[in-house]
Amino acid sequence: MEISRELIHKLPKAELHCHLDGSMRIDTIWDIAHEQDIVLPASSKEELRQILEVGENCDSLATYLKPFDITVSVLQTEANLQRALLELAEDCAAENIRYLEVRFAPALHTRNGLKLTQVLDAVLSGIKIAESTWQITIRVIICGLRHTAPAETLKVAELAVAYKNKGVVGFDLAGAEKDFPAKDHIEAFYLIVNNNINTTAHAGEASGPESIHEALHYINANRIGHGTRLRENGDLLNYVNDHRIPLEMCITSNLQTKAVSSYERHPIKSYLDYGIRVTLNTDNRLISKTTLTDEYMKAIEIYHFDLDEVRMVILNGFKSAFLPFGEKARLIKQINTEMRDLGIQASTAYE
């Protein structure tokens, strides 16, 4: 069977690594800014687009993160947060993403006086509307930020605990990786782990495998965000593989942040060949100018993924979801049925 873009678009997919503030629509940012007198560093939508879409000439993770100053500036009200979530859900549903874990740092949205609970409630209210409108299941991962004081990370960890089983399924450590070690935030993750909440962490992107080791063994990450530099430590690579620790890989953004020097140097195919549980994600739809369909097409066109490998990565996404086992099993059963209807034989394993 030919692996066409149309087929990839039709296939049911999961996305586990998607930042709300990095996945907005240009028109929305422009409209909110002009309606609410928020100053933008651009005199037209096209100029704004050129600032926000970093392109392949981006030189580092630090540079990649700069556009977030703009996107976060327009996400300081409950209505704007809900709107951003609904539009992201609509964009995802349009390419048959059936399960989405959306992540964001609530602390970034309190500049105009919103409480952390108000920020989270606004997003969760958007999710409720989205799930009743489109065929999509959405859950939230709350982000702490590496560069902030550990006490601030602890506050948002407490928020995650309070909203466990209310739409929040995980806790993440995001932001600038280099010079901001995960172990500084160990108290927050101690609280998270002791309340049986799933954990993930951005690691092995701007720093080496030692950052992945720290994420696994200091803050007990259940998944690793990116993990492109895992291959630099064979022993750790085997540990990740043996323990079936999923990697949330994002081909386009990994090139843009210079986690890899070229598309050809990306390890996604070698990781998959080795047996590592690779998942494919957008990271930031706006900043990276991508969709999940785009990411799968790059895997096919650049790394020559065949249909079995595409199927495997899709199923890895659902298997790695931060969902209760029974809910996950039901979702995978449904996805298997849909794949078979498209002529693709899928796995019945849920683990």
Side-chain angles (χ1 to χ4, degrees):
M1 179 186 295
E2 177 189 357
I3 315 178
S4 64
R5 184 179 183 87
E6 181 182 9
L7 175 62
I8 295 300
H9 196 269
K10 285 181 179 179
L11 285 171
K13 296 173 286 293
E15 175 151 25
L16 308 181
H17 193 121
C18 181
H19 293 266
L20 178 63
D21 49 352
S23 301
M24 296 182 70
R25 297 173 180 173
I26 292 281
D27 286 348
T28 297
I29 296 170
W30 184 264
D31 291 347
I32 290 174
H34 283 78
E35 289 168 5
Q36 300 175 12
D37 295 323
I38 298 168
V39 178
L40 294 175
S43 58
S44 67
K45 288 183 185 179
E46 185 53 38
E47 186 181 354
L48 182 62
R49 184 183 304 279
Q50 291 173 7
I51 294 170
L52 293 175
E53 295 175 352
V54 299
E56 295 180 9
N57 293 324
C58 181
D59 60 6
S60 68
L61 176 59
T63 301
Y64 183 87
L65 294 174
K66 287 180 180 178
F68 287 88
D69 292 337
I70 299 172
T71 61
V72 168
S73 73
V74 300
L75 290 176
Q76 299 299 325
T77 71
E78 292 164 289
N80 294 350
L81 285 159
Q82 185 184 94
R83 176 178 175 180
L85 185 284
L86 282 168
E87 290 176 348
L88 172 59
E90 183 176 30
D91 292 342
C92 289
E95 57 170 326
N96 207 21
I97 292 174
R98 305 297 296 282
Y99 177 73
L100 170 68
E101 289 178 1
V102 61
R103 63 184 72 191
F104 63 99
L108 294 178
H109 307 285
T110 59
R111 296 175 186 172
N112 293 349
L114 286 181
K115 297 177 181 178
L116 293 175
T117 51
Q118 290 176 304
V119 171
L120 184 51
D121 284 339
V123 172
L124 291 173
S125 66
I127 288 174
K128 186 175 181 180
I129 296 169
E131 290 186 334
S132 65
T133 305
W134 300 290
Q135 193 176 15
I136 188 170
T137 298
I138 307 174
R139 297 293 181 267
V140 168
I141 296 176
I142 290 178
C143 297
L145 298 170
R146 286 177 177 266
H147 65 277
T148 58
E152 295 303 311
T153 310
L154 182 58
K155 284 183 184 178
V156 287
E158 291 167 348
L159 181 72
V161 171
Y163 280 79
K164 179 185 177 184
N165 299 325
K166 298 177 182 179
V168 172
V169 294
F171 193 74
D172 175 33
L173 191 61
E177 184 181 3
K178 187 174 174 58
D179 299 324
F180 296 103
K183 62 185 177 183
D184 289 351
H185 303 274
I186 197 166
E187 185 178 1
F189 279 87
Y190 182 83
L191 177 67
I192 289 293
V193 171
N194 277 274
N195 279 276
N196 302 307
I197 296 174
N198 297 298
T199 59
T200 182
H202 288 64
E205 183 183 19
S207 292
E210 68 280 357
S211 179
I212 300 171
H213 184 278
E214 196 171 274
L216 294 174
H217 299 300
Y218 281 82
I219 62 172
N220 301 103
N222 303 116
R223 298 194 317 234
I224 295 294
H226 303 297
T228 52
R229 295 183 62 181
L230 175 63
R231 59 184 169 188
E232 296 174 24
N233 185 319
D235 189 56
L236 187 62
L237 184 145
N238 284 328
Y239 179 90
V240 167
N241 195 30
D242 292 344
H243 289 265
R244 313 310 299 140
I245 297 166
L247 300 184
E248 305 159 358
M249 307 212 81
C250 313
I251 296 169
T252 302
S253 84
N254 291 158
L255 177 70
Q256 293 166 332
T257 64
K258 295 302 176 281
V260 294
S261 58
S262 67
Y263 282 124
E264 290 70 28
R265 288 287 298 153
H266 199 287
I268 187 168
K269 183 64 163 64
S270 62
Y271 285 173
L272 188 65
D273 289 346
Y274 198 68
I276 289 175
R277 183 158 287 175
V278 170
T279 70
L280 197 50
N281 311 274
T282 61
D283 199 4
N284 299 285
R285 288 169 166 259
L286 168 60
I287 311 301
S288 288
K289 193 181 179 182
T290 194
T291 66
L292 193 55
T293 300
D294 290 336
E295 296 300 300
Y296 273 96
M297 291 311 298
K298 283 184 177 177
I300 293 162
E301 293 166 358
I302 300 172
Y303 311 111
H304 309 293
F305 277 33
D306 62 25
L307 193 56
D308 284 341
E309 290 166 329
V310 168
R311 175 189 57 80
M312 186 183 303
V313 174
I314 286 175
L315 285 171
N316 281 348
F318 289 102
K319 291 177 182 179
S320 303
F322 286 159
L323 284 173
F325 180 80
E327 190 174 347
K328 186 188 302 187
R330 287 191 295 273
L331 185 56
I332 292 174
K333 183 177 180 180
Q334 180 181 342
I335 296 311
N336 277 326
T337 298
E338 292 184 29
M339 284 191 172
R340 282 194 292 269
D341 289 345
L342 290 169
I344 300 170
Q345 187 63 37
S347 169
T348 56
Y350 305 131
E351 294 81 8

